[in-house]
Amino acid sequence: MNDTPPGPPTPPTTQASSPWTLREYAFLGDGERGALVGPRGEMVWLCAPRWDSDAVFSTLIGGPGEYLLGPDDHWNVWGGYYEEGTLIHVGRWITGDSEIECREALAGPAAPDRLVLLRRIRAVRGDARVRLRLDARPGFGAHPMTGLRQEDGTWSAHGGGLHLRLAGAADATPDGQGVLEARFTVAAGEARDLVLEIGTRAGTEELDPGRLWQATERHWAGVAPDCSELAAPRDARQAYAILHGLTSASGAMVAAATTSLPERANGERNYDYRFAWIRDQCYAGLAVAAHGPHPLLDAGVGFMTERLLADGGELRPAYTITGDPVAGERSLPLPGYPGGTDRVGNRAGRQFQLDSFGEILQLYAAAARLDRLDTDARRALDVAVAAVERNWPRPDAGLWELENHWWTHSRLCAVAGLRAAARAVGGRAARDWDGLADTILAETRRRCLSPRGHWRRAEGDDGPEAALLLPLARGCLPPDDPSGPRTRRLIEERLSEDGYLYRFGHGDRPLGEAEGAFLLCGFMMALAAHQQRDPVSAFRWFERTRAACGSPGLFAEEYDVGQRQLRGNLPQAFVHAQLLEAAVRLSGDREE
């Protein structure tokens, strides 16, 4: 129950931080929720207790609520880094007379109903003058925290159905509106710990920073596998850590941590990605499987199996991390990130997307090759095949979630999935699956292959489509089929700019005017070039695309080539997944 009736969000105060370009934000995640932290130490985005819950800190999209911990000196420059293979982030500032670091993380292992945020501010050189400001506003700002009080050095408050505790700031001062503020000095060589807990019930466990940091370090020490043998080993390992930080204990992986970050200024492309997309989860599982039988593969297969056995051919494209349907879109009464409009929920949750079933079959095939396909997953595989057999002639919304059409990519994904499953599982069923793949490919070839020998975007649409690169890379065609290389050349000629790749054309509008380059597609091109035995092009696309990250090394969905800025929600899981897979696939080319 909420403590106060919901009302309109309180507008941000004049002290609230202004937003930065997306490339400057760092991400903290523990699998159940995530936060964005800006260059001045301002935490501007956090939903609690779960990914798709209402935000407690929403300054990022124009709402109230943030948690600032940084230098009390505007004359500073910032930097930072992740401790390798983790989402433990270290922010750094150089002021006129000091050097300051803030080590921060969402504590692990995570609980679904309670988050713990650790921040340790340290004076590396000189005395550190520090500012603290905690303004928690549940419900996207509709519920200020009330009942603020201190006991034994720990502050507590409640509001919007949530309970808050803050340890390490006994000297903070409340302002009467539920906001805590403090200015303090950390002596040279010393450190100060702050522990913030937010949960659905009042916490009673001691907020011991030493014990919590040790548990978090142990947790991350066992997460990311060694990637030293791969192309771009550090980026590959960090991609695994990001995917882990986006994956719940339920096995579901959210597409991104945020909502409503615009793909184009003042456009209508602003979506809520705090849900688990079936396709994206398959991309991540396939990337992990390419490297080895790591836990994220089992997580993805488990979540997929549970959903398939429950929903069968009516499988939805996206779910909440608890497996519930995604609510439809609705607007929030907030200003939004500059150039964007705020909304929560996603209409894609009600669509039919055939390609998702093809990706599921590829995921199960990869699990079978690694002996990670249990009895339930094998039953779910049959459910997915039956769904493809029944639905492949049916128009669908496709990868890009557009109007229902006979999209070529969707059919070729189904072909690739059936072929992969037949090879991995074998037996009598494999012959039937190969036969079904032949049938789908023949009809798709009749409808969607251009007389010039390249694959059309869809029946009746002769334009290039970058999404076709992925089923080509997955082996949907015979190795000597000339339509694959012809399609790749057409895509590169018509959809690339300065080494980056767009999804498709928007009428006569120039590339980059309607939307940014899609980083997912750049890594798809690298995989397709690798599959077609063109290692030079594969590495060129891989290296160019992985350069499009922000300062902390995170990728969003899109990249503004002209302005060299990130666009869309952050961090985008499927981009990090494709980076990881490309790093694995291309490592063999590097050795050759």
Side-chain angles (χ1 to χ4, degrees), residues 382-399:
D382 288 333
V383 172
V385 171
V388 171
E389 185 172 21
R390 184 169 59 254
N391 290 302
W392 73 264
R394 172 184 169 190
D396 74 302
L399 168 62

Side-chain angles (χ1 to χ4, degrees), residues 196-325:
L196 174 65
E197 176 194 69
I198 301 176
T200 57
R201 51 187 172 78
T204 58
E205 185 178 343
E206 182 186 3
L207 299 178
D208 179 351
R211 180 184 58 80
L212 290 165
W213 270 118
Q214 288 175 5
T216 301
E217 291 160 355
R218 284 195 303 270
H219 169 75
W220 281 107
V223 163
D226 177 34
C227 296
S228 57
E229 79 285 7
L230 302 184
R234 183 176 179 184
D235 284 0
R237 193 161 188 244
Q238 197 61 31
Y240 193 101
I242 290 164
L243 295 175
H244 176 84
L246 293 169
T247 302
S248 166
S250 70
M253 179 194 76
V254 295
T258 56
T259 181
S260 306
L261 299 184
E263 298 176 8
R264 176 61 56 193
N266 302 313
E268 287 299 313
R269 300 185 58 81
N270 310 271
Y271 303 114
D272 188 351
Y273 282 179
R274 300 170 300 151
F275 307 107
W277 261 258
I278 295 296
R279 177 192 308 105
D280 299 28
Q281 185 108 38
C282 290
Y283 289 167
L286 286 165
V288 171
H291 190 243
H294 304 307
L296 279 184
L297 170 61
D298 294 335
V301 169
F303 181 73
M304 211 66 59
T305 298
E306 184 177 331
R307 299 275 40 89
L308 268 171
L309 294 181
D311 297 343
E314 301 303 314
L315 184 76
R316 297 171 181 264
Y319 293 86
T320 69
I321 58 170
T322 54
D324 296 317

Side-chain angles (χ1 to χ4, degrees), residues 515-570:
E515 62 183 17
F518 255 64
L519 299 178
L520 173 74
C521 296
F523 290 123
M524 286 179 176
M525 179 67 87
L527 290 171
H530 165 77
Q531 194 272 341
Q532 294 174 9
R533 301 181 184 281
D534 185 357
V536 173
S537 292
F539 266 98
R540 177 168 58 84
W541 280 102
F542 175 71
E543 293 294 352
R544 187 61 165 159
T545 304
R546 81 179 178 101
C549 61
S551 303
L554 303 178
F555 293 91
E557 186 173 31
E558 297 184 21
Y559 185 66
D560 187 315
V561 177
Q563 298 185 50
R564 301 187 185 275
Q565 295 290 349
L566 300 180
R567 305 291 187 213
N569 286 294
L570 182 81

Side-chain angles (χ1 to χ4, degrees), residues 452-586:
R452 293 187 292 276
H454 65 80
W455 290 97
R456 295 184 172 114
R457 187 175 179 221
E459 183 180 27
D461 185 341
D462 205 39
E465 167 61 82
L468 292 169
L469 293 165
L470 196 56
L472 296 179
R474 301 275 192 238
C476 70
L477 301 176
D480 58 350
D481 190 322
S483 65
R486 286 172 184 165
T487 302
R488 182 166 72 92
R489 285 195 298 270
L490 177 71
I491 292 168
E492 186 163 7
E493 290 168 4
R494 300 269 296 276
L495 295 180
S496 66
E497 178 186 10
D498 196 24
Y500 296 99
L501 201 63
Y502 294 82
R503 298 187 298 169
F504 50 81
H506 290 263
D508 296 329
R509 300 171 71 180
L511 293 175
E513 184 176 296
E515 62 183 17
F518 255 64
L519 299 178
L520 173 74
C521 296
F523 290 123
M524 286 179 176
M525 179 67 87
L527 290 171
H530 165 77
Q531 194 272 341
Q532 294 174 9
R533 301 181 184 281
D534 185 357
V536 173
S537 292
F539 266 98
R540 177 168 58 84
W541 280 102
F542 175 71
E543 293 294 352
R544 187 61 165 159
T545 304
R546 81 179 178 101
C549 61
S551 303
L554 303 178
F555 293 91
E557 186 173 31
E558 297 184 21
Y559 185 66
D560 187 315
V561 177
Q563 298 185 50
R564 301 187 185 275
Q565 295 290 349
L566 300 180
R567 305 291 187 213
N569 286 294
L570 182 81
Q572 191 75 24
F574 63 21
V575 179
H576 293 273
Q578 292 280 279
L579 183 154
L580 175 60
E581 182 175 357
V584 175
R585 305 291 184 196
L586 269 58

